Amino acid sequence: MDLSDVLSVMRADVARVEDRLREEVRVDFPFVGEILQGLIEAGGKRLRPLLLLLAARPFNYVFERLLPAAVGVELLHTASLIHDDTVDKAMLRRGRPTLNSLFNTETVILLGDYIFARSAMMAAATQNPRVVQVFASSLAHICDGQLREIFTARELQQSIDDYRKRIFGKTASLFAGSAEMGAILGEANDEQIDALRRFGGHLGMAFQIVDDVLDLRESTDQIGKPAGLDLRQGTITLPTMLFFQLNRGNGRHAELVRRVVGGHDATDEDYATATAVIRESGALEHALEIAAEYVRNAKEELRAIPAGEGRDMLEVLADHSLSRTS
């Protein structure tokens, strides 16, 4: 079984999530509505709602009960990307122009807030206080992760533990929350709910580390946003941290990367050279080894889940986080 098999099994339910997503982002302003619809349609594999659905599948899988939460987590993710792009002043997302490239900051923030509000309404529509609590916690963690990224920009004196806290908030917390909400709505027992929350957290950590590797390894066309964006924005990711560890922070190349991260009169050629030396240092491979360890830990948590197709599909999702190229 691979991801295409999982998507085939889940196609009908994911399609219904897609339909509901389109309904939830309809607004009375035609041009804005078209942009929001385009943002939704460019949403990729819907990993977070898919994870939520799969977390319930080994238990009491009632799709109608899961639908509002699945829509809610994807809307929450979309809203966080809108605000993220505003903070980063990003012009591209998933290969398409961002709202930030089309409207002023005030308008984009309000649109992001609107999507946040719709996501909260979806969580409330589950009529499950425990789900609402997990949803609210996930939102708080996302904000915490984004604030950590803002306040540590261009700061090389941060530890890998600092990085872990930042990416847990920004990315892994919503994976953890999605899995936890699915397990709650699937009526799993508390031990299984806790295991699936940890599974989602490990999965999300691996996903973000791979994302940080792709930022340095792949082209703009491949990842749907400018390659090397983290370096240009001064965001210190795991590969850059490992580059300094592997090279002990010495030499001409290390000084170049310091200057690029610091944003000190760096040219396009400097950014290209810095990206190349990080690639050639072995830092990307080391980062992927750490991501693979998170995936192994995630799959270990599935021991608490009944054997069967549902658990198998969760394992496939974990493996996909390592093999993806965009």
Side-chain angles (χ1 to χ4, degrees):
M1 181 182 287
D2 60 20
L3 187 65
S4 64
D5 297 317
V6 173
L7 294 175
S8 179
V9 171
M10 301 299 295
R11 182 173 291 119
D13 286 352
V14 172
R16 291 177 67 187
V17 173
E18 293 271 2
D19 291 342
R20 186 63 179 273
L21 280 166
R22 292 189 188 95
E23 291 178 19
E24 291 302 320
V25 297
R26 285 190 182 135
V27 294
D28 291 335
F29 311 103
F31 178 64
V32 175
E34 289 175 15
I35 298 297
L36 290 176
Q37 291 290 333
L39 192 64
I40 291 297
E41 288 168 8
K45 296 183 177 69
R46 306 294 184 208
L47 291 180
R48 293 155 189 84
L50 179 61
L51 173 58
L52 187 147
L53 296 176
L54 291 180
R57 197 167 176 88
F59 309 106
N60 186 14
Y61 187 90
V62 179
F63 177 76
E64 293 298 336
R65 188 165 58 201
L66 297 161
L67 177 60
V71 173
V73 297
E74 187 66 8
L75 288 174
L76 176 54
H77 173 57
T78 301
S80 71
L81 293 183
I82 291 172
H83 282 182
D84 197 21
D85 288 340
T86 305
V87 171
D88 295 342
K89 298 180 173 59
M91 297 293 108
L92 285 176
R93 167 73 67 177
R94 296 165 178 165
R96 298 192 181 202
T98 61
L99 291 172
N100 187 59
S101 71
L102 301 170
F103 302 106
N104 61 39
T105 300
E106 294 83 357
T107 301
V108 177
I109 289 173
L110 284 172
L111 286 168
D113 289 347
Y114 175 77
I115 302 299
F116 272 127
R118 299 302 302 180
S119 70
M121 291 171 69
M122 287 291 96
T126 65
Q127 299 183 7
N128 186 308
R130 191 170 177 184
V131 166
V132 174
Q133 182 180 24
V134 173
F135 180 90
S137 177
S138 299
L139 175 54
H141 279 300
I142 290 170
C143 294
D144 178 78
Q146 186 62 62
L147 286 169
R148 287 177 185 273
E149 183 168 293
I150 292 169
F151 291 139
T152 59
R154 306 196 183 282
E155 177 54 66
L156 280 168
Q157 301 305 313
Q158 53 183 298
S159 67
I160 289 178
D161 188 52
D162 292 330
Y163 167 81
R164 288 191 175 109
K165 289 176 182 176
R166 175 177 13 120
I167 69 168
F168 178 83
K170 187 174 178 181
T171 300
S173 61
L174 189 52
F175 279 82
S178 297
E180 185 174 6
M181 284 184 266
I184 291 167
L185 292 168
E187 299 178 338
N189 65 38
D190 285 346
E191 178 186 358
Q192 293 162 336
I193 291 169
D194 290 344
L196 280 163
R197 182 186 66 248
R198 291 191 296 269
F199 168 85
H202 291 316
L203 172 60
M205 295 294 285
F207 185 93
Q208 184 59 55
I209 291 170
V210 171
D211 206 54
D212 292 343
V213 168
L214 294 178
D215 179 74
L216 290 163
R217 193 182 73 189
E218 304 295 340
S219 67
T220 299
D221 289 343
Q222 188 72 25
I223 59 178
K225 60 182 179 179
L229 188 62
D230 290 330
L231 278 180
R232 289 178 179 273
Q233 294 174 337
T235 301
I236 315 301
T237 62
L238 184 61
T240 301
M241 291 178 171
L242 295 174
F243 164 79
F244 283 107
Q245 283 190 4
L246 292 167
N247 292 275
R248 294 178 172 80
N250 298 319
R252 177 171 54 87
H253 287 161
E255 186 54 40
L256 171 65
V257 175
R258 280 196 190 90
R259 184 160 59 84
V260 163
V261 170
H264 302 305
D265 300 319
T267 65
D268 287 342
E269 183 179 355
D270 289 335
Y271 285 115
T273 302
T275 299
V277 299
I278 293 173
R279 285 175 180 166
E280 294 162 7
S281 70
L284 302 190
E285 292 78 8
H286 191 181
L288 289 175
E289 290 171 4
I290 293 172
E293 180 64 22
Y294 275 112
V295 169
R296 285 192 289 272
N297 290 339
K299 292 166 79 170
E300 186 68 21
E301 295 293 346
L302 295 179
R303 287 172 173 259
I305 308 307
E309 184 185 55
R311 190 171 80 180
D312 293 344
M313 289 195 288
L314 287 165
E315 288 188 359
V316 168
L317 204 59
D319 289 333
H320 169 72
S321 68
L322 288 178
S323 62
R324 68 195 184 89
T325 58
S326 63

